[in-house]
Amino acid sequence: MTKINKTRAIVLRKINYSDTSKIATFYTEEFGRVSGIIKSGRDSKSKIGAIIDQMNLVELVFYQKENRDIQLISQADLILHYPHIKEDYEKIKYSSAILELLYTLTIENEINRKLFRGLIKIFELLEKGYEEAKILFTRFLIFFIKELGYELQLTKCKHCQKELEKEETVFFNFESGFFCEECKIQIQAEVVFEKELYKIMLCLTNKKYGKIKISNKKIDRIIMFLVKYLSFHIPEFKGIKSLSY
Ligand SMILES: [Zn+2]
């Protein structure tokens, strides 16, 4: 049975297919990750082919057939194309990293409207230049990890439940999570967070702290930690190519 579906979607990727067509992959509001073929999409006069471009937010119409991996795209209207992101090297780099995460780590047809809204929101903030692209990316990465089901529990020691905010140093074990100095005797510390770095992590996970300024070195350490954390939970995940960490 074929259904006609209409949904908002972000274009994650577009590749050539045969001499005339293109195949695009989307993260959609109503159907999760979906791939579809754009017939004659390689033709320079193809309106749909031009609208469906990486990073664009579109309203998509496609024919969905069960048991078919590649759906047939019949229409696309442009909603936003994020011109300020596309003219800035740093913004392109981190937006590409976001698209890559969605492309590689979401499950086909698994619906997550909250993730879709988070994606639209982060692109809006990148477009406006609300914070540095790298910081916005890190915020998104933390949110994304949570949406995948591996939320980081930051505020309390996983072992003794002690509040960690006043600790001088906070420790982390990939198996057990964050813990305090006293519990160090029982758990192996695989990552050490000095007070400042731990505070930055707290700020990044909580909106109430507002905008923050962080040195490049520190934010890189946090991104590397998060990537490692993600690959601990998802062994097939080998890092983010767009960032070449
Ligand atoms: Zn403890």
Side-chain angles (χ1 to χ4, degrees):
M1 209 182 89
T2 307
K3 281 192 296 178
I4 301 175
N5 293 327
K6 192 176 183 178
T7 180
R8 291 197 297 166
I10 286 270
V11 185
L12 303 178
R13 179 185 281 213
K14 188 170 76 168
I15 54 165
N16 290 336
Y17 181 76
S18 77
D19 290 340
T20 53
S21 303
K22 283 193 183 268
I23 287 180
T25 303
F26 307 86
Y27 196 76
T28 74
E29 187 167 26
E30 306 294 333
F31 308 93
R33 181 161 60 81
V34 170
S35 292
I37 187 162
I38 313 159
K39 295 266 184 191
S40 310
R42 292 185 70 172
D43 187 335
S44 58
K45 282 174 286 196
S46 163
K47 190 177 156 251
I48 300 180
I51 285 171
I52 296 176
D53 204 7
Q54 198 181 38
M55 220 181 282
N56 286 352
L57 174 63
V58 298
E59 179 141 272
L60 189 69
V61 180
F62 66 94
Y63 291 97
Q64 188 183 24
K65 217 178 202 174
E66 271 175 52
N67 308 321
R68 185 171 68 182
D69 294 337
I70 310 287
Q71 310 303 335
L72 177 66
I73 294 159
S74 69
Q75 201 186 319
D77 291 302
L78 186 67
I79 302 172
L80 290 169
H81 70 289
Y82 307 107
H84 292 116
I85 295 180
K86 288 173 186 168
E87 67 189 17
D88 181 309
Y89 173 74
E90 281 288 295
K91 288 183 182 181
I92 291 172
K93 179 175 158 188
Y94 288 101
S95 305
S96 305
I98 291 170
L99 299 177
E100 185 186 329
L101 284 170
L102 283 146
Y103 182 80
T104 52
L105 294 175
T106 57
I107 296 163
E108 197 165 48
N109 302 124
E110 192 174 276
I111 305 158
N112 185 338
R113 292 189 180 87
K114 197 175 164 200
L115 179 55
F116 181 81
R117 286 196 300 272
L119 176 64
I120 301 298
K121 184 75 199 171
I122 210 74
F123 273 50
E124 184 192 317
L125 295 174
L126 279 161
E127 176 70 7
K128 283 182 184 159
Y130 173 80
E131 268 180 316
E132 266 179 64
K134 203 181 235 185
I135 297 174
L136 287 172
F137 168 75
T138 314
R139 287 188 193 276
F140 180 82
L141 184 54
I142 292 168
F143 159 76
F144 184 66
I145 287 171
K146 182 180 167 189
E147 287 307 306
L148 290 183
Y150 307 113
E151 184 175 9
L152 281 156
Q153 301 291 346
L154 273 159
T155 53
K156 284 181 181 154
C157 169
K158 265 311 242 315
H159 199 66
C160 71
Q161 301 302 312
K162 187 189 196 176
E163 292 285 341
L164 292 172
E165 211 177 338
K166 292 193 178 72
E167 293 287 299
E168 275 311 311
T169 315
V170 172
F171 305 90
F172 184 82
N173 175 290
F174 284 96
E175 204 75 61
S176 333
F178 286 94
F179 59 96
C180 72
E181 179 91 54
E182 278 165 50
C183 294
K184 228 178 112 188
I185 319 157
Q186 290 152 78
I187 311 167
Q188 193 202 343
E190 290 173 321
V191 188
V192 179
F193 286 85
E194 63 272 26
K195 196 173 192 157
E196 198 197 345
L197 200 68
Y198 172 74
K199 278 272 166 72
I200 292 169
M201 281 288 288
L202 269 185
C203 294
L204 288 168
T205 51
N206 201 325
K207 280 190 207 111
K208 76 173 185 203
Y209 293 100
K211 285 187 203 180
I212 41 173
K213 270 212 162 301
I214 314 168
S215 75
N216 253 326
K217 225 176 170 173
K218 291 214 166 71
I219 198 83
D220 282 341
R221 268 180 70 192
I222 291 175
I223 293 173
M224 268 189 270
F225 164 70
L226 294 168
V227 167
K228 209 172 159 190
Y229 175 74
L230 205 48
S231 42
F232 172 79
H233 287 284
I234 308 170
E236 319 79 270
F237 174 63
K238 299 277 180 250
I240 306 167
K241 287 196 195 91
S242 314
L243 303 181
S244 58
Y245 268 103

